[in-house]
Amino acid sequence: ELKVEQNPLFLSMQEGKNYTIYCDYSTTSDRLYWYRQDPGKSLESLFVLLSNGAVKQEGRLMASLDTKARLSTLHITAAVHDLSATYFCAVPFETSGSRLTFGEGTQLTVNP
Amino acid sequence: NAGVTQTPKFQVLKTGQSMTLQCAQDMNHEYMSWYRQDPGMGLRLIHYSVGAGITDQGEVPNGYNVSRSTTEDFPLRLLSAAPSQTSVYFCASSYNPSGPGELFFGEGSRLTVL
């Protein structure tokens, strides 16, 4: 059974600080996805990581994938309040395909 | 662009009632799926379809039925609603079931079963 675990599940941080969210998974996969969800809203795709060593950056967020360690990180640089949301990582059930298993989500609150 | 459209957005049912959550996409996506989201449990896959006429069970299929008669539509049926089915339901699609697999989500349907 594929397990996807995120930590921390809850993160409260101050504006301007840096932090990293971790996502580890239990099976072989060369792909991983990060999504953002605002309260009461749908999920928005942030990053699609398609190979070992993949690194993608968008604004203050940077995601990386280490398929050997079965680990992905989402690094937040100089957090701002607008980044407050829940972040999910997801891994395919199989080596290819769209069936995704999601982590529990990390609820991020950025305080002024 | 409409993308993935779900209806209704909110619904309250009594135990034992049946209903259908509608999902339609206008992106010509082959793959469609239904997830439920519950607090502290992330999203769990209910059913999915890799093309018209093909459906399969996901992680939590019990109590739900699906069909895929067209590429565009993928309705989710609750045959006899139970309080345990109180949840937020998301429909999601992607272009190629075997491809990179980035999912596009609908706005969600919030269901309460009393």
Side-chain angles (χ1 to χ4, degrees), chain B residues 28-60:
Chain B
N28 201 31
H29 283 178
E30 289 294 324
Y31 180 87
M32 296 186 74
S33 57
W34 278 101
Y35 285 86
R36 61 177 288 173
Q37 182 176 29
D38 302 292
M41 303 190 75
L43 281 81
R44 292 180 293 168
L45 181 65
I46 305 171
H47 284 285
Y48 66 98
S49 168
V50 298
I54 306 169
T55 63
D56 208 344
Q57 296 180 351
E59 190 183 355
V60 287

Side-chain angles (χ1 to χ4, degrees), chain A residues 31 33 37 42 45 97-98 100 104, chain B residues 35 37 40 94 97 100 102 106:
Chain A
R31 292 182 290 138
Y33 307 84
Q37 184 180 37
S42 184
S45 178
S98 301
L100 301 185
E104 286 185 47
Chain B
Y35 285 86
Q37 182 176 29
S94 72
E102 182 182 7

Side-chain angles (χ1 to χ4, degrees), chain A residues 16-59:
Chain A
K17 299 293 188 183
N18 304 332
Y19 208 83
T20 299
I21 299 170
Y22 296 88
C23 173
D24 64 272
Y25 52 97
S26 62
T27 192
T28 302
S29 177
D30 60 357
R31 292 182 290 138
L32 189 136
Y33 307 84
W34 285 96
Y35 287 86
R36 168 182 171 143
Q37 184 180 37
D38 292 306
K41 302 293 186 182
S42 184
L43 280 81
E44 171 192 357
S45 178
L46 285 176
F47 298 110
V48 179
L49 304 171
L50 296 177
S51 62
N52 184 41
V55 177
K56 290 200 172 178
Q57 183 163 4
E58 179 75 31

